[in-house]
């Protein structure tokens, strides 16, 4: 009985090892791939420029709020109660405008997110489709991105298909 269990366990282990070794894997370096696609670099530059422009608009409103506050502090002793209230309200309103503009541009569903999605999604989709085509052609069951997965300690250059993906996309590296 013990011998029978031992033989069954050994067979299961051998079959499991055989099935695992029959699977084919590949890795890609998405960082490397995207850096070699000129459209991706142009999109990044465009996002950087737009981001700077929008940040300067937000900064301008914050500066206006700070100026209003400094002026208020200088004049506070000369102001009536109603004038103080009006100036305080103006400061709060300017700060609120700056916060709303910042959220509009840089919030989770803000303009920068929308612009990044519009510019990057087509490029990422094209890369994904190229990887998928190569994986199907070569029979890979799994393709890992070594640039984004910090748990990959080592991968053989033999299974890295990054250069092949770039060639399929029409970019030489």
């Amino acid at each position: 009985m013990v011998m029978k269990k031992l033989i069954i366990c050994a067979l299961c282990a051998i079959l499991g090892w055989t099935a695992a070794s029959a699977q084919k894997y590949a890795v890609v370096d998405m960082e490397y791939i995207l850096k070699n696609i000129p459209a991706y670099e142009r999109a990044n530059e465009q996002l950087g420029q737009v981001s700077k422009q929008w940040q300067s608009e937000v900064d301008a409103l914050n500066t206006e709020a700070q100026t209003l506050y400094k002026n208020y502090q200088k004049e506070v002793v000369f102001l009536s109660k109603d004038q103080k209230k009006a100036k305080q309200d103006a400061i709060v309103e300017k700060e609120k405008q700056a916060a709303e503009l910042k959220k509009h541009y840089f919030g989770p569903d803000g303009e920068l997110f929308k612009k990044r999605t519009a510019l990057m999604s087509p490029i990422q989709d094209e890369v994904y489709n190229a990887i998928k085509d190569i994986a199907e052609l070569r029979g890979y069951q799994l393709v890992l991105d070594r640039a984004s997965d910090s748990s990959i300690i080592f991968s053989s250059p033999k299974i890295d298909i990054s250069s092949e993906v770039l060639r399929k996309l029409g970019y030489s590296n």
Side-chain angles (χ1 to χ4, degrees):
M1 188 70 150
V2 173
M3 187 63 138
K4 195 174 192 181
K5 285 183 181 178
L6 194 59
I7 292 172
I8 291 173
C9 286
L11 282 174
C12 286
I14 291 170
L15 288 174
W17 179 77
T18 305
S21 65
Q23 294 179 348
K24 291 178 71 178
Y25 305 95
V27 294
V28 294
D29 186 340
M30 287 297 288
E31 206 172 283
Y32 168 77
I33 291 170
L34 293 173
K35 280 183 180 177
N36 283 284
I37 297 177
Y40 184 81
E41 291 298 314
R42 285 191 303 273
N44 261 337
E45 287 174 17
Q46 190 176 357
L47 286 172
Q49 290 169 356
V50 167
S51 180
K52 282 181 186 177
Q53 177 189 342
W54 289 342
Q55 186 61 49
S56 68
E57 290 178 31
V58 172
D59 290 345
L61 283 177
N62 281 324
T63 301
E64 286 179 41
Q66 288 173 352
T67 303
L68 287 173
Y69 180 71
K70 286 178 185 175
N71 291 339
Y72 169 77
Q73 284 182 318
K74 290 177 188 174
E75 302 168 349
V76 71
V77 292
F78 305 111
L79 299 174
S80 69
K81 192 174 189 178
D82 290 339
Q83 289 173 324
K84 285 179 187 178
K85 175 82 169 113
K87 294 218 181 237
Q88 290 170 352
D89 290 346
I91 294 166
V92 169
E93 180 60 29
K94 194 59 73 173
E95 289 173 340
K96 184 180 173 185
Q97 288 175 359
E100 287 174 359
L101 189 62
K102 184 175 184 175
K103 182 180 177 187
H104 173 73
Y105 285 146
F106 302 108
D109 293 324
E111 293 300 312
L112 186 62
F113 175 79
K114 291 174 186 172
K115 191 153 188 76
R116 177 177 286 123
T117 301
L119 291 172
M120 299 298 188
S121 287
I123 298 166
Q124 291 169 336
D125 290 346
E126 190 178 3
V127 171
Y128 169 79
N129 288 330
I131 293 170
K132 183 180 169 196
D133 290 348
I134 292 169
E136 288 174 353
L137 180 71
R138 290 181 152 190
Y140 295 127
Q141 284 83 26
L142 179 67
V143 178
L144 300 170
D145 177 11
R146 71 179 197 192
S148 66
D149 192 353
S150 61
S151 63
I152 296 177
I153 297 170
F154 172 79
S155 67
S156 170
K158 294 177 185 176
I159 63 169
D160 189 329
I161 61 170
S162 302
S163 296
E164 187 176 347
V165 171
L166 283 170
R167 281 191 302 276
K168 181 161 183 63
L169 292 169
Y171 303 104
S172 60
N173 44 337

